[in-house]
Amino acid sequence: MATDYYAVLGVRRDASQDEIKKAFRRLARELHPDVNPDPKTQERFKEINAAYEVLSDPQKKQVYDLGGDPLSANGGGGGGAGGFGAGGFGNFSDIMDAFFGNAAQRGPRSRTRRGQDAMIRLEIDLNEAAFGTTKDIQVDTAVVCNTCSGEGAAPGTSAQTCDMCRGRGEVSQVTRSFLGQVMTSRPCPQCQGFGTVVPTPCPECAGDGRIRSRRTLTVKIPAGVDNGTRIQLAGEGEVGPGGGPPGDLYVEIHELPHSVFQRRGDDLHCTVTIPMTAAALGTKCPLETLDGLEEIDIRPGTQSGQSVPLHGRGITHLRGGGRGDLIVHVEVITPSKLDPEQERLLRELAKLRGEERPLGQFQPGQQGLFSRLKDAFNGR
Ligand SMILES: [Zn+2]
Ligand SMILES: [Zn+2]
């Protein structure tokens, strides 16, 4: 027996059970004899059944993967890829699944379902991102209806057993097929599968068991959050239909741009422009950092594009503590308008330094760190 069951189902050898099941269902729908009675297709249908019988059963799959033939080994398949032996019934329910949805879910379905997750955007400034904060937010979600406590029935009334399906939530039908008599079930049309009907829905929630409500929540924002960080508040999302358990609420952080600092990870960057003379002579620049006023020490002889790092003055690391750095980039401004006196002094300086006819030094086109950083910020 050299049948390649993986090839028959069109899946890779490392396919998961889920992938195997999906592949089988797809093929079963396509090749089912009721849909496609052509004998060749029926042969193929038997093949995919055999393949699925082996690959969906971990024990048989293992035997097969080791080179054995589980179908003849346990006699279940009789003639190899022959129809529906011992494992046939398992396949059968999967075939039914393929046609009628999840047949495993039997009996009336609950009116109560888990609610959906909700998301809310929250704008914070850089300072709040750096050190964390506490915010009151307004949330608008479904909550359990107080009038009916989520049951959906008007006060004084209650849900009643559906008389069409007698509470089973499904109605059955017997049909003949090549497999013999087949009983198929579908959700009861009168109660939509709930097994109960609500004759008098709650006037407050129209029978949904929940109403929309606005409330205020206090959210703790940890230090170090960034644009797009989501904070999960378990159980603060939408209450489900029938007053079902609520989903979660996600607070998505949007960090407002700062007028001076640009954030890259947990580091902050800013640029200070100083005149040429200050760059040559050295100076101190006051800078309002997140931690208050600090003096930036510009050393004599600073070049345009150099930077001064202030360690630990950036954003708190969200995990692990500690803080990023604040990096001050220095841009040196060359004076563009000189009055006669200034020009005379500069010419004198140039003469003293022997720079009246300086020979510039050319280097292969390399950009300074500063312009590269700027490009990175601008996304170029
Ligand atoms: Zn209600
Ligand atoms: Zn019913």
Side-chain angles (χ1 to χ4, degrees):
M1 282 292 292
T3 313
D4 183 347
Y5 291 137
Y6 292 98
V8 167
L9 291 183
V11 295
R12 296 189 321 272
R13 291 194 79 85
D14 58 354
S16 68
Q17 276 302 319
D18 202 40
E19 287 169 315
I20 289 169
K21 191 167 187 170
K22 273 190 190 144
F24 170 71
R25 284 180 168 209
R26 188 173 47 73
L27 290 167
R29 268 196 294 269
E30 224 171 83
L31 304 171
H32 193 283
D34 282 358
V35 181
N36 205 333
D38 164 54
K40 254 186 168 172
T41 312
Q42 289 200 34
E43 256 329 289
R44 184 99 166 84
F45 185 65
K46 283 179 184 172
E47 269 177 34
I48 66 160
N49 267 291
Y52 185 63
E53 182 181 338
V54 171
L55 298 185
S56 64
D57 180 326
Q59 278 181 352
K60 290 182 187 169
K61 183 171 185 294
Q62 197 183 9
V63 172
Y64 175 71
D65 285 343
L66 293 171
D69 183 3
L71 286 185
S72 51
N74 69 3
F84 306 90
F89 202 73
N91 289 357
F92 177 67
S93 85
D94 278 325
I95 293 170
M96 286 304 153
D97 276 9
F99 281 91
F100 305 109
N102 192 0
Q105 200 182 10
R106 281 289 153 97
R109 62 192 178 109
S110 171
R111 285 188 181 275
T112 306
R113 268 176 294 145
R114 184 182 184 269
Q116 295 194 318
D117 294 339
M119 181 146 84
I120 193 165
R121 282 166 60 114
L122 179 64
E123 289 188 335
I124 61 169
D125 62 31
L126 187 67
N127 215 63
E128 293 169 324
F131 300 116
T133 184
T134 304
K135 288 263 188 189
D136 283 345
I137 55 169
Q138 296 269 305
V139 288
D140 224 328
T141 61
V143 297
V144 176
C145 170
N146 273 329
T147 308
C148 63
S149 312
E151 310 252 307
T157 72
S158 59
Q160 283 166 13
T161 304
C162 171
D163 55 10
M164 186 182 249
C165 62
R166 295 191 189 86
R168 287 172 53 236
E170 58 183 18
V171 286
S172 306
Q173 200 178 2
V174 177
T175 47
R176 288 194 57 79
S177 87
F178 79 108
L179 295 165
Q181 283 203 339
V182 176
M183 191 164 76
T184 55
S185 301
R186 62 196 168 97
C188 169
Q190 179 165 297
C191 60
Q192 284 84 46
F194 293 124
T196 57
V197 286
V198 179
T200 323
C202 166
E204 183 72 26
C205 62
D208 193 31
R210 51 184 184 163
I211 48 165
R212 295 212 73 80
S213 152
R214 171 165 287 204
R215 65 212 149 98
T216 304
L217 272 180
T218 305
V219 191
K220 203 178 162 333
I221 312 291
V225 293
D226 203 347
N227 241 344
T229 303
R230 286 180 185 178
I231 297 162
Q232 183 183 19
L233 302 176
E236 298 287 0
E238 309 273 355
V239 159
D248 299 335
L249 175 69
Y250 290 89
V251 177
E252 191 178 83
I253 298 296
H254 285 258
E255 192 184 291
L256 295 167
H258 190 270
S259 58
V260 175
F261 301 124
Q262 279 171 310
R263 178 173 175 179
R264 293 201 79 198
D266 288 338
D267 289 339
L268 297 176
H269 295 261
C270 71
T271 302
V272 62
T273 52
I274 55 168
M276 180 187 76
T277 45
L281 299 170
T283 187
K284 286 191 191 305
C285 286
L287 174 67
E288 192 64 44
T289 70
L290 296 182
D291 302 86
L293 196 65
E294 296 205 21
E295 294 257 284
I296 311 299
D297 188 20
I298 312 280
R299 311 283 291 272
T302 294
Q303 308 296 322
S304 200
Q306 282 187 348
S307 58
V308 183
L310 275 70
H311 297 293
R313 289 283 180 265
I315 306 284
T316 310
H317 300 308
L318 187 58
R319 290 174 189 84
R323 289 173 66 183
D325 301 333
L326 168 58
I327 294 151
V328 181
H329 301 269
V330 180
E331 194 175 358
V332 176
I333 302 294
T334 307
S336 55
K337 277 182 187 140
L338 299 170
D339 66 23
E341 173 66 1
Q342 291 166 351
E343 187 177 342
R344 192 188 60 75
L345 281 169
L346 265 185
R347 287 201 184 282
E348 197 159 316
L349 177 64
K351 198 173 169 186
L352 278 172
R353 290 180 56 86
E355 293 171 350
E356 290 158 296
R357 300 288 303 269
L359 287 171
Q361 287 178 13
F362 297 95
Q363 275 150 29
Q366 62 168 26
Q367 287 183 299
L369 170 73
F370 176 65
S371 51
R372 267 186 278 126
L373 261 175
K374 263 211 308 205
D375 286 354
F377 282 141
N378 297 335
R380 267 178 286 160

